[in-house]
Amino acid sequence: MAEPLLISYGSSSYEKKNGRDTLPHLFDAISDCLGRAGLFPGDVDGLALASFTYPPGNVITLAEHLDMRLRWAEDGSFGGASGVVAVGRAADQIRLGHARCILCVAGDAFTTGSHEKLLEDFTPALSEHLGPHGFGGANGVLAPLQTRHAALYGTRRDQLGRLCVTQRRHAMLNPNALFQTPLTLDEFLEARVIAEPFHLYDCVMPCSGAEAVLVVADDIAASIGRPGVRVVATREMHNASPGQLSEFSAGWEVIGEELWAATGRQPGDMDFAQLYDDYPIVVGLQLEGYGFCGRGECGSYLEKTDVSNWGELPLNTGGGQLSVGQAGAGGAMIHLVEAVQQLQHEAGERQVAGAQRGLVSGYGLVSYGKGLCTAATVLERLDS
Amino acid sequence: MNALVLQRCAECDYVANFWRIGCPRCLGRLEDFDAAGTGVVTTFSIIHRWVERFEPHLPIVLAIIELDEGVEIMSSLVGDDRLQIAVGSPVEIAPEGWSEKPQFRLAAAGSE
Ligand SMILES: [Zn+2]
């Protein structure tokens, strides 16, 4: 049975809104990713795409556009979980022998107004039932998680803000990040309020960009000669709490326990974690859900733990969406790109020394009162 | 006039928190009924920035409300005192609001 290996990664140059269109960004990320591996579109036999702004184009028309002949394809409709879902399923397809060289790409381009329009109509339940309330987009839907966490566990903004401050340090070592100046905890705390308890720097900045990773069969990887990254185990869960709104978890505990059992690893074995970061509280909830700290303890964990690339748990080592920018569905792939880069030891000044393995998560499709999709994967450098 | 209409399953009494085409539990037929319109705030956010047409209504208090019928819905609060909201606040349907959807207000102290 072929073993799937992540072998390359690529990004387009991020831009603020009103820049280039979606297709040029997708092309640049694909070109960067394939070029790093010395491959061309004709070598690709599997393609996964996630994009909100590329429709009416889809994964097959993208293949048509780039003359790719496909044996497997997937349109990812899992919001911020689409990237991890794509890589997990691509790895399975390679194990099954259905495809051998699968490109996973995600990205979007927004203009002024188009991002808010997307959010208002993001899902049928949102547009029908929350739209008339002026619900504030994803900010308004997810801010209540933090309100409730604070009420139950005393979690404070100055605890969660430390994560944003640290991620900004990482971003300043990432040339593709749109935020390149330091963020102090005071600036985080005093920024203008958006959707209480979220202030400006709790929220991602929508932007334009794309990200890609390449998963290939091990014999192809050997011929390319780049360090291989194993997709050790991946799990996904959708609509984890049917009909319930005030559950904190999107299934993180369940898929986390399965991942640790399947890999024989524990949270403490991870050299880094790339946790989906639309808001710091969502990272905090995942720290709890995946077992890096106890239930209700993410505030004190972030207060006490050095989560920089030189600390105890390097977290969102490229700056994450919070400091690079959220390129729509590209935000679902950015943590995978960073993880592969780290495990191939190509992250330059922000390299986590000797990184051998890490956890990467996705979360998204914000709908009626919660995000619906979640996924996580454990990646490991082949020579470890 | 605000009224909170929910759906209940004619077969198994499932109550839907937002409109469904049929009963998710038994696939039976859902029938509209008038909810009591009272509940407790589970959590909330206070929205200060959103698309232009909602600017007259800012700040908008968006809340998850556990209704007396046992289901959780999302709605918004009206009333000059709405910023006094807290986790656990009792709320009731507001006689009038600015949304096309039913809105709530903080229940008057001692009215329980
Ligand atoms: Zn029923």
Side-chain angles (χ1 to χ4, degrees):
Chain A
M1 190 166 76
E3 166 148 46
L5 294 171
L6 283 154
I7 204 75
S8 189
Y9 56 87
S11 307
S12 75
S13 290
Y14 275 41
E15 300 173 291
K16 296 186 177 177
K17 285 184 278 193
N18 303 309
R20 292 174 299 153
D21 203 354
T22 305
L23 185 59
H25 278 286
L26 294 174
F27 181 81
D28 283 2
I30 290 168
S31 176
D32 189 30
C33 181
L34 290 179
R36 188 168 277 112
L39 298 177
F40 295 93
D43 299 312
V44 170
D45 66 358
L47 183 64
L49 171 68
S51 177
F52 301 112
T53 52
Y54 185 56
N58 65 18
V59 64
I60 302 302
T61 69
L62 182 62
E64 176 192 40
H65 194 85
L66 293 174
D67 285 356
M68 292 172 177
R69 181 174 183 269
L70 300 183
R71 304 305 307 275
W72 179 78
E74 179 197 85
D75 257 317
S77 53
F78 317 103
S82 295
V84 174
V85 167
V87 165
R89 294 180 183 187
D92 286 341
Q93 291 299 316
I94 288 171
R95 291 186 184 103
L96 289 167
H98 294 172
R100 292 170 41 76
C101 182
I102 300 179
L103 182 67
C104 303
V105 61
D108 276 297
F110 296 106
T111 56
T112 303
S114 75
H115 187 261
E116 284 168 340
K117 177 77 182 137
L118 171 72
L119 285 173
E120 277 207 283
D121 298 332
F122 204 53
T123 72
L126 266 194
S127 60
E128 169 66 21
H129 302 295
L130 290 189
H133 287 289
F135 69 105
N139 302 332
V141 174
L142 296 185
L145 285 172
Q146 186 168 323
T147 304
R148 187 165 169 77
H149 206 271
L152 291 183
Y153 305 114
T155 309
R156 305 190 312 268
R157 292 193 63 237
D158 68 277
Q159 296 174 317
L160 297 168
R162 286 164 199 269
L163 176 68
C164 298
V165 170
T166 301
Q167 286 191 208
R168 182 63 61 85
R169 286 173 62 198
H170 301 162
M172 291 170 63
L173 302 173
N174 178 356
N176 216 17
L178 291 176
F179 293 91
Q180 292 290 351
T181 53
L183 176 69
T184 67
L185 191 56
D186 282 343
E187 286 169 333
F188 171 86
L189 292 171
E190 289 158 19
R192 63 187 158 86
V193 65
I194 304 292
E196 291 180 56
F198 291 165
H199 294 231
L200 184 63
Y201 297 115
D202 289 284
C203 307
V204 292
M205 182 176 76
C207 66
S208 300
E211 306 277 350
V213 296
L214 185 64
V215 198
V216 302
D218 47 0
D219 61 313
I220 297 177
S223 71
I224 291 170
R226 288 175 51 75
V229 174
R230 297 177 60 222
V231 185
V232 187
T234 310
R235 293 291 185 277
E236 56 187 87
M237 183 175 272
H238 310 290
N239 198 31
S241 53
Q244 308 293 311
L245 299 187
S246 56
E247 291 286 319
F248 284 119
S249 179
W252 301 310
E253 286 83 357
V254 175
I255 69 172
E257 277 184 22
E258 289 183 9
L259 280 178
W260 305 132
T263 59
R265 302 289 183 184
Q266 292 295 321
D269 298 326
M270 297 296 106
D271 296 319
F272 59 73
Q274 316 287 353
L275 301 180
Y276 191 84
D277 63 328
D278 42 0
Y279 305 93
I281 186 62
V282 172
V283 177
L285 291 170
Q286 292 175 91
L287 286 168
E288 297 176 10
Y290 290 121
F292 291 91
C293 63
R295 182 91 189 237
E297 293 173 359
C298 70
S300 58
Y301 180 88
L302 287 169
E303 189 173 10
K304 289 183 297 195
T305 310
D306 181 354
V307 294
S308 80
N309 293 0
W310 310 272
E312 189 179 327
L313 176 70
L315 190 50
N316 297 344
T317 58
Q321 300 178 81
L322 284 165
S323 272
V324 176
Q326 182 182 59
M333 196 69 75
I334 191 170
H335 290 301
L336 286 154
V337 168
E338 175 68 15
V340 175
Q341 193 169 358
Q342 287 284 350
L343 292 171
Q344 293 189 317
H345 297 170
E346 295 178 351
E349 287 182 275
R350 66 176 193 279
Q351 179 66 46
V352 174
Q356 298 296 310
R357 63 187 64 84
L359 178 73
V360 186
S361 77
Y363 167 69
L365 205 68
V366 169
S367 190
Y368 189 77
K370 57 191 172 183
L372 294 177
C373 298
T374 195
T377 188
V378 174
L379 306 180
E380 190 167 271
R381 187 179 164 97
L382 186 58
D383 62 15
S384 64
Chain B
M1 179 65 191
N2 253 333
L4 184 64
V5 176
L6 296 177
Q7 298 167 294
R8 180 185 284 126
C9 178
E11 318 294 330
C12 77
D13 283 342
Y14 177 95
V15 177
N17 64 338
F18 62 84
W19 184 88
R20 314 293 178 97
I21 185 68
C23 178
R25 187 158 65 196
C26 78
L27 304 178
R29 188 169 47 87
L30 296 172
E31 294 174 339
D32 288 353
F33 73 100
D34 288 326
T38 47
V40 171
V41 171
T42 305
T43 185
F44 64 95
S45 57
I46 301 173
I47 293 150
H48 293 262
R49 290 176 57 84
W50 189 225
V51 292
E52 199 175 353
R53 68 182 188 277
F54 288 103
E55 273 174 16
H57 309 302
L58 296 175
I60 293 170
V61 175
L62 185 73
I64 294 179
I65 297 164
E66 184 172 355
L67 296 173
D68 293 350
E69 288 79 6
V71 294
E72 291 175 304
I73 66 166
M74 279 196 110
S75 185
S76 49
L77 266 60
V78 295
D80 292 342
D81 61 350
R82 65 190 186 281
L83 297 183
Q84 305 302 313
I85 188 173
V87 171
S89 293
V91 292
E92 61 193 10
I93 203 82
E96 45 193 25
W98 47 259
S99 174
E100 67 192 62
K101 296 286 182 183
Q103 294 179 287
F104 285 75
R105 65 181 181 188
L106 293 174
S111 73
E112 285 295 284

